[in-house]
């Protein structure tokens, strides 16, 4: 692929507000699923929840852009690399960092909050030349690789570090979901045990605890099924279910990470097959509507007031045709971007407005 731009260096030197705000939240309730269509396309999709508006926009980076790691701290340099592939996705508060997106080869990346479990390396003089900060992984993965196997092979070559922020005495705690056009999908976690890469075998990812804990927890729900159950006799009493939904009776319905993981597995794996990718995208957004969190249903109260998680935006990726879809809190209609066309039309990184606002169409008299 032609190198469109080689002189610009991406380096975030200003705002620490996003990381500060992230660290003040006790839980951020993001949910991810994977849908597969009959035409062979894999569609990873997710919700993004925060306790404040992070003002996400679409950050697009053309192939050939030179990127410098450790951009959070203007006084510290890591290493530079050239983006092999163009990519775009959602950022936050103007930062030149993709937290969720897809590249021209159909590789998808998503960062999910992993508070309490995420453990990254300390930055030292010895590892600085191979250090990538936890919030920069989207740029590194989407800019460098085209498949899950390439990502797996490259992870041992870097040290993911928790960039220190004096104001909060902490770092941005994430784990990461990666899916490619072949359908391969992994969850990347850095914990006290070090780096662990899990195959995403159940088409779902949420937050903490660790991914293997969630897989073990699924054993508590082996009795769930999509088919309704019939009547049963207890003693001499015949009991009938209350209408529809008896097959998934007992499915947890709260906003906690374990509950959402179980629901995501249930809905992603019991959905009817989609004939093509557009129908799979349509279905993914419908499923994720179930995980939409309104303002007020999750609250943390501290000296600064009430913090309430809510769904800022929902995204989906067409990994075959490299398209990125999203809707936002204020813009409920789904919008899409052709990644290849978008990044081929620019010669340097560019930010595109993501949220256009809530519009109600008056259809009065249109019959």
């Amino acid at each position: 692929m032609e190198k469109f731009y080689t002189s610009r260096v991406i380096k975030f030197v200003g705002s620490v507000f996003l990381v500060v705000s992230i660290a003040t939240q006790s839980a951020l309730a993001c949910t991810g699923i994977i849908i597969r269509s009959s035409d062979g396309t894999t569609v990873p999709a997710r919700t993004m929840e925060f306790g404040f508006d992070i003002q996400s926009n679409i950050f697009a980076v053309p192939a050939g852009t030179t990127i410098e790691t450790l951009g959070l701290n203007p006084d510290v340099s890591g290493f530079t690399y050239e983006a092999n592939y163009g990519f775009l996705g959602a950022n936050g508060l103007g930062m030149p960092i993709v937290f969720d997106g897809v590249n021209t080869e159909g590789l998808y990346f998503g960062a999910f909050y992993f508070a309490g479990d995420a453990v990254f390396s300390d930055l030292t003089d010895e590892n600085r030349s191979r250090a990538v900060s936890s919030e920069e992984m989207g740029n590194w993965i989407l800019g460098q690789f085209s498949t899950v196997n390439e990502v797996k092979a490259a992870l041992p070559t870097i040290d993911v570090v928790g960039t220190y922020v004096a104001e909060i005495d902490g770092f941005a705690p994430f784990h990461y979901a990666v899916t490619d056009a072949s359908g391969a999908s992994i969850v990347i976690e850095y914990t006290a045990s070090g780096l662990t890469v899990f195959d995403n075998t159940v088409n779902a990812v949420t937050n903490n605890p660790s991914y293997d804990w969630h897989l073990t927890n699924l054993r508590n729900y082996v009795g769930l099924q999509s088919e309704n159950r019939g009547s049963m006799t207890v003693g001499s009493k015949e009991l009938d279910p209350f209408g529809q939904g008896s097959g998934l009776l007992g499915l947890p319905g709260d906003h906690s990470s374990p509950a959402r993981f179980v629901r995501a597995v249930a809905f992603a794996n019991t959905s009817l097959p989609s004939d093509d990718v557009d129908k799979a995208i349509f279905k993914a957004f419908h499923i994720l509507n179930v995980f939409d969190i309104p303002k007020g249903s999750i609250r943390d109260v501290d000296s600064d007031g009430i913090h309430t998680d809510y769904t800022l935006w929902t995204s989906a990726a067409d990994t075959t045709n490299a398209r990125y879809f999203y809707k936002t809190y204020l813009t409920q209609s789904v919008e899409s971007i052709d990644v290849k066309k978008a990044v081929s039309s620019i010669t340097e990184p560019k930010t595109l407005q993501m949220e256009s606002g809530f519009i109600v169409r008056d259809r009065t008299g249109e019959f």
Side-chain angles (χ1 to χ4, degrees), residues 144-166:
Q144 294 292 94
F145 310 109
S146 62
T147 68
V148 161
N149 282 339
E150 289 176 0
V151 175
K152 284 183 177 180
L155 285 172
T157 69
I158 62 169
D159 276 343
V160 178
V161 300
T163 300
Y164 178 76
V165 180

Side-chain angles (χ1 to χ4, degrees), residues 8-211:
R8 179 180 175 86
V9 176
I10 298 177
K11 188 171 178 69
F12 174 54
V13 298
S15 171
V16 297
F17 177 65
L18 177 63
V19 183
V20 171
S21 300
I22 286 174
T24 65
Q25 306 300 309
S26 62
L28 296 173
C30 304
T31 301
I33 60 172
I34 297 174
I35 299 294
R36 305 175 196 277
S37 60
S38 298
D39 66 2
T41 299
T42 300
V43 175
R46 59 90 58 82
T47 65
M48 169 64 83
E49 280 78 20
F50 272 83
F52 65 99
D53 184 4
I54 64 171
Q55 303 170 21
S56 291
N57 283 303
I58 300 298
F59 183 59
V61 178
T65 300
T66 300
I67 302 174
E68 183 175 350
T69 66
L70 305 183
L72 185 65
N73 189 334
D75 300 322
V76 178
S77 296
F79 65 92
T80 60
Y81 60 92
E82 188 175 279
N84 296 323
Y85 308 105
F87 61 92
L88 61 78
N91 70 354
L93 295 177
M95 298 204 310
I97 295 170
V98 170
F99 295 108
D100 181 83
V102 64
N103 69 13
T104 54
E105 311 309 297
L107 185 70
Y108 164 80
F109 167 89
F112 290 75
Y113 200 66
F114 198 45
D117 290 273
V119 177
F120 301 113
S121 300
D122 294 326
L123 178 64
T124 65
D125 290 336
E126 288 71 28
N127 69 6
R128 183 174 299 171
S129 63
R130 49 183 268 137
V132 177
S133 191
S134 60
E135 75 278 1
E136 300 172 331
M137 285 289 280
N139 285 8
W140 183 74
I141 287 176
L142 293 179
Q144 294 292 94
F145 310 109
S146 62
T147 68
V148 161
N149 282 339
E150 289 176 0
V151 175
K152 284 183 177 180
L155 285 172
T157 69
I158 62 169
D159 276 343
V160 178
V161 300
T163 300
Y164 178 76
V165 180
E167 291 83 351
I168 61 167
D169 193 25
F171 57 87
F174 292 124
H175 63 169
Y176 313 99
V178 181
T179 303
D180 67 24
S182 76
S185 185
I186 56 174
V187 176
I188 303 165
E189 294 184 349
Y190 293 86
T191 66
S193 300
L195 166 65
T196 307
V197 179
F198 300 97
D199 290 323
N200 188 343
T201 53
V202 294
N203 301 314
V205 60
T206 56
N207 312 104
N208 52 304
S210 60
Y211 192 77

Side-chain angles (χ1 to χ4, degrees), residues 69-364:
T69 66
L70 305 183
L72 185 65
N73 189 334
D75 300 322
V76 178
S77 296
F79 65 92
T80 60
Y81 60 92
E82 188 175 279
N84 296 323
Y85 308 105
F87 61 92
L88 61 78
N91 70 354
L93 295 177
M95 298 204 310
I97 295 170
V98 170
F99 295 108
D100 181 83
V102 64
N103 69 13
T104 54
E105 311 309 297
L107 185 70
Y108 164 80
F109 167 89
F112 290 75
Y113 200 66
F114 198 45
D117 290 273
V119 177
F120 301 113
S121 300
D122 294 326
L123 178 64
T124 65
D125 290 336
E126 288 71 28
N127 69 6
R128 183 174 299 171
S129 63
R130 49 183 268 137
V132 177
S133 191
S134 60
E135 75 278 1
E136 300 172 331
M137 285 289 280
N139 285 8
W140 183 74
I141 287 176
L142 293 179
Q144 294 292 94
F145 310 109
S146 62
T147 68
V148 161
N149 282 339
E150 289 176 0
V151 175
K152 284 183 177 180
L155 285 172
T157 69
I158 62 169
D159 276 343
V160 178
V161 300
T163 300
Y164 178 76
V165 180
E167 291 83 351
I168 61 167
D169 193 25
F171 57 87
F174 292 124
H175 63 169
Y176 313 99
V178 181
T179 303
D180 67 24
S182 76
S185 185
I186 56 174
V187 176
I188 303 165
E189 294 184 349
Y190 293 86
T191 66
S193 300
L195 166 65
T196 307
V197 179
F198 300 97
D199 290 323
N200 188 343
T201 53
V202 294
N203 301 314
V205 60
T206 56
N207 312 104
N208 52 304
S210 60
Y211 192 77
D212 55 343
W213 184 98
H214 286 291
L215 294 179
T216 299
N217 185 53
L218 287 178
R219 297 171 64 181
N220 289 312
Y221 301 93
V222 294
L224 297 179
Q225 60 184 32
S226 56
E227 296 82 6
N228 288 326
R229 296 185 182 276
S231 61
M232 65 178 296
T233 301
V234 179
S236 60
K237 178 69 173 179
E238 185 171 341
L239 303 176
D240 294 315
F242 287 112
Q244 298 295 310
S246 59
L248 290 177
L249 193 65
L251 187 70
D254 60 68
H255 294 316
S256 68
S257 176
R260 286 183 289 103
F261 190 93
V262 175
R263 289 205 308 282
V265 170
F267 296 142
N269 292 284
T270 61
S271 64
L272 296 176
S274 300
D275 294 335
D276 55 44
V277 61
D278 289 334
K279 291 179 181 178
I281 294 287
F282 182 77
K283 179 180 298 180
F285 278 99
H286 265 294
I287 291 174
L288 289 177
N289 284 339
V290 178
F291 299 90
D292 205 33
I293 298 176
K295 289 183 177 180
S297 61
I298 296 179
R299 302 187 187 197
D300 274 331
V301 180
D302 58 25
S303 58
D304 295 325
I306 298 175
H307 304 278
T308 175
D309 268 21
Y310 68 102
T311 303
L312 297 178
W313 44 262
T314 303
S315 71
D318 171 358
T319 59
T320 295
N321 302 296
R323 294 183 296 168
Y324 189 67
F325 298 77
Y326 63 89
K327 66 175 184 177
T328 72
Y329 180 77
L330 291 180
T331 308
Q332 285 291 288
S333 59
V334 175
E335 303 187 28
S336 67
I337 302 177
D338 184 311
V339 179
K340 294 179 182 179
K341 289 182 179 179
V343 299
S344 66
S345 67
I346 58 177
T347 57
E348 62 180 2
K350 183 177 181 179
T351 301
L352 312 171
Q353 183 177 352
M354 187 176 189
E355 197 159 50
S356 56
F358 180 59
I359 300 173
V360 178
R361 293 184 61 192
D362 184 358
R363 302 297 295 270
T364 303

